[in-house]
Amino acid sequence: MGKIVAANWKMNLRRQSGCELASALKTDGRECWLFPSFTLLAPIADTLIGGTLKLGAQDLSPELDGAFTGDVSAEMLGDAGCTMVLVGHSERRHGHGEQGELLLRKLKRAAEAGLKPLYCVGETLEEREAGRAKEVVKEHLSVLKDLQGTCAAVAYEPVWAIGTGLTATPEQAAEMHAFIRDELTKLGLTDLPILYGGSVKPGNAKDLMTQPHVDGVLVGGASLKLDSLRAIDDVAREIG
Ligand code: PEP
């Protein structure tokens, strides 16, 4: 498999801008994984039919169906055209207090509904400065032990690099990706791709994606503009 490019649009774009971006990527023949907001999923799914782009949601409910106002179930996401879902993004872990048991329930629910999670892990600046980065990432990964074969990939996203303009150096990314590769091997998840996320831009994509065990990138801010997303995808294709 070549390098993977995944786009997390967070709470951005509207029906027209999202569909235009998706349809331009489809026309280019790109193979990105797109994670738009809930309201854009169904219209974008219609845009993507017949192409190679994959569609995912940014979150899901751990529940099946019922009285959970404001939540969206895994089955609803499948019904809207998703095949993937983000779980454990730092903006959910830190903005909404999601962790351990809840994330495991979400991962299991996604798998039961046939959705492939992109599971995000990563330490805060405080944890890194306290020398705890690997311990934290190991703990985040530990929920995968009972989930053989259900995830699409893991994304290493140091919290201090998300949306801040700070990026892990290629050496920092390489060190953590090698660690994650070892931990996944111990969990029996030898083939799971590991993406890097955190202020990836056209200018740093090559240095990051050429590091060992960096199988692709998860891009936030730079995925909202066609030019920058194309440029990052061009780097991914060039490396192959
Ligand atoms: C993200 O939201 O997963 C992310 C990596 O964002 P950004 O690229 O903007 O740092």
Side-chain angles (χ1 to χ4, degrees):
M1 193 199 291
K3 300 286 176 188
I4 297 161
V5 176
N8 175 15
W9 290 352
K10 311 192 186 195
M11 200 170 72
N12 291 297
L13 304 180
R14 300 289 183 272
R15 185 192 290 243
Q16 188 175 344
S17 50
C19 287
E20 277 173 10
L21 184 46
S23 112
L25 296 167
K26 180 186 162 188
T27 308
D28 282 357
R30 310 265 162 184
E31 292 180 19
C32 307
W33 298 351
L34 296 185
F35 296 91
S37 60
F38 287 131
T39 57
L40 298 183
L41 292 172
I44 287 182
D46 293 342
T47 310
L48 299 187
I49 288 168
T52 52
L53 291 156
K54 287 192 180 149
L55 188 65
Q58 297 172 15
D59 186 31
L60 80 162
S61 168
E63 307 291 343
L64 203 50
D65 260 319
F68 302 99
T69 303
D71 290 346
V72 180
S73 75
E75 278 72 12
M76 290 171 178
L77 297 178
D79 194 36
C82 292
T83 54
M84 306 185 69
V85 63
L86 289 180
V87 176
H89 191 279
S90 74
E91 286 152 18
R92 303 295 314 174
R93 287 184 192 268
H94 299 287
H96 296 263
E98 296 190 2
Q99 50 185 322
E101 184 57 29
L102 174 64
L103 296 178
L104 180 59
R105 288 177 60 215
K106 290 190 176 198
L107 288 166
K108 286 186 171 160
R109 205 64 276 298
E112 283 159 10
L115 298 175
K116 289 269 187 190
L118 169 48
Y119 180 63
C120 305
V121 302
E123 81 286 357
T124 63
L125 186 58
E126 205 181 23
E127 289 161 344
R128 176 162 279 263
E129 287 177 346
R132 297 185 51 234
K134 288 182 180 163
E135 177 196 328
V136 169
V137 166
K138 182 174 175 168
E139 200 235 303
H140 289 173
L141 291 172
S142 66
V143 301
L144 297 179
K145 67 177 181 300
D146 298 326
L147 292 161
Q148 300 296 325
T150 60
C151 284
V154 164
Y156 169 56
E157 300 208 297
V159 179
W160 47 273
I162 298 181
T164 58
L166 296 173
T167 316
T169 62
E171 295 72 27
Q172 284 172 322
E175 185 183 353
M176 189 58 92
H177 278 242
F179 174 75
I180 293 173
R181 175 56 64 218
D182 281 352
E183 290 303 311
L184 291 176
T185 302
K186 286 184 208 158
L187 295 171
L189 298 164
T190 42
D191 295 331
L192 207 52
I194 309 167
L195 313 188
Y196 170 81
S199 299
V200 174
K201 301 184 250 328
N204 59 23
K206 186 166 188 176
D207 282 348
L208 290 161
M209 272 193 271
T210 46
Q211 297 307 310
H213 309 296
V214 177
D215 302 311
V217 285
L218 175 54
V219 188
S223 72
L224 297 171
K225 291 265 178 341
L226 184 58
D227 285 357
S228 47
L229 187 52
R230 266 185 182 149
I232 293 168
D233 193 52
D234 285 342
V235 171
R237 289 178 184 219
E238 183 193 313
I239 300 169

